[in-house]
Amino acid sequence: MTNEKKQITFIINPISGTQKKDEIPPLIEELLDKSQFDVDLRITEYAGHAAELARQCAADGVDIVVAVGGDGTVNEVARSLVHTQTALGIIPCGSGNGLARHLCIPIDIRKALTLINECRIEAFDYGVINGLPFFCTCGMGFDAFISLKFAEAGKRGPITYIENVLKEGLRYRPETYEIIDDTGTMNYKAFLIACANASQYGNNAYIAPGATMKDGKMDVIIMEPFDALEAPQIAADLFMKTLGNNSKIKTFRTDRIHIRRQQPGAIHYDGDPIMTGTDIDVSIEPLGIRIVTNPDAPEDTSQPNQMLNAFSDFFNNINNVREDIRGDIEKSGRKIQAINKVLLRKLRS
């Protein structure tokens, strides 16, 4: 008796991510094992369409829905599949690819498609911030602020992030937060607070190197205020998986927290910004989403969107003039601004 074929739908966002999708359908035809799968291809036509298609697939009992696009498309599809029997597959086509990288899904499209033929499906945790699902990170403070600036700019691409970070980074003022969990209440002045279900923002920037999506917990990362001299070390720690060793970083693990800040503002969930009030609830839903993963490396617990590209550019730009900062701060600030202008000119050329 032969096993019944699995129903698999590829949801392709033609305008998301960093590369064209014209080559994807022929590669699916070439590489996907037709003895295992009955294949359907769907192309998104408008904002939110991927979520609608994924919800319908889950309602129809489709076995696997594969998101083909950047982090936004992956997260949009994933949010529609939580607490269903339909598994998420990922063909990463973005610049950050945070969830794919954490799960060791190949960035190479051919390898990612071949991996789907292995059909290794596991359940993973996901997070919720003020009722909004996230899969890698959420947070508030500087990263949410920059996400909002990017959205307001009305343009896509890393240069928009960099422009906003270089313009706003040195002027950003940390906020004061009250954090409540089952151990009590803590007060912090922080540059940002991140809640990590997975280990990275994307691009191998490891905000929570030890985070795992299978422990029913999130890693809470509090980045305390720092000066320009300290910024380069924080940048290095992000990419060297040593952020937890930095004196400006406080971390703990919990399954839920309540955060109260002094005034309303932006939060982000997997890089998508939204304005909220002063009270923020974050929690973990254990094993609430099924994902096609890598049978050889289901999860990279030693590791960690585009947002961090700019975040790191801001730090590295300061790093270029860190020796000057030891002297005249005002003079150094002018030099940083001059270097920023040169950097943007080069990026645009």
Side-chain angles (χ1 to χ4, degrees), residues 9-217:
T9 297
F10 288 80
I11 296 179
I12 303 171
N13 186 337
I15 62 171
S16 78
T18 58
Q19 51 192 290
K20 293 182 179 180
K21 313 301 185 304
D22 296 346
E23 65 180 25
I24 303 292
L27 285 175
I28 293 171
E29 178 64 28
E30 174 190 347
L31 297 172
L32 208 68
D33 183 356
K34 305 303 190 306
S35 68
Q36 284 195 76
F37 302 108
D38 282 330
V39 182
D40 184 30
L41 303 183
R42 304 297 300 271
I43 308 297
T44 62
E45 299 174 0
Y46 47 84
H49 195 197
E52 294 175 14
L53 293 172
R55 278 195 297 270
Q56 188 59 53
C57 286
D60 292 343
V62 173
D63 296 291
I64 300 170
V65 174
V66 181
V68 183
D71 287 338
T73 302
V74 171
N75 295 339
E76 190 176 330
V77 171
R79 291 165 195 159
S80 297
L81 302 181
V82 297
H83 300 297
T84 74
Q85 289 303 302
T86 301
L88 169 71
I90 303 172
I91 303 298
C93 299
S95 60
N97 302 313
L99 185 58
R101 290 180 189 275
H102 178 86
L103 296 174
C104 296
I105 294 170
I107 304 304
D108 180 90
I109 293 175
R110 298 180 70 94
K111 292 179 179 178
L113 280 167
T114 302
L115 186 69
I116 292 173
N117 289 330
E118 300 288 335
C119 206
R120 169 75 171 265
I121 296 173
E122 296 185 32
F124 291 93
D125 304 339
Y126 73 95
V128 179
I129 179 169
N130 280 10
L132 300 166
F134 68 93
F135 302 91
C136 289
T137 66
C138 72
M140 60 219 70
F142 183 68
D143 51 359
F145 172 75
I146 290 300
S147 293
L148 186 64
K149 288 289 183 181
F150 170 73
E152 290 173 347
K155 297 184 293 180
R156 299 193 65 83
I159 291 179
T160 301
Y161 273 124
I162 294 170
E163 286 177 330
N164 284 320
V165 172
L166 297 181
K167 183 189 303 180
E168 307 291 347
L170 292 173
R171 297 198 302 243
Y172 183 78
R173 294 291 175 262
E175 298 181 64
T176 300
Y177 300 89
E178 180 182 73
I179 300 176
I180 304 168
D181 69 357
D182 55 10
T183 66
T185 301
M186 300 165 284
N187 290 281
Y188 290 97
K189 188 173 185 181
F191 189 72
L192 64 83
I193 297 177
C195 299
N197 179 46
S199 54
Q200 67 164 286
Y201 281 112
N203 291 306
N204 294 323
Y206 310 129
I207 187 67
T212 169
M213 294 175 66
K214 282 180 169 286
D215 63 354
K217 303 284 186 181

Side-chain angles (χ1 to χ4, degrees), residues 287-298:
L287 306 181
I289 184 165
R290 303 174 77 238
I291 303 176
V292 179
T293 189
N294 188 332
D296 298 319

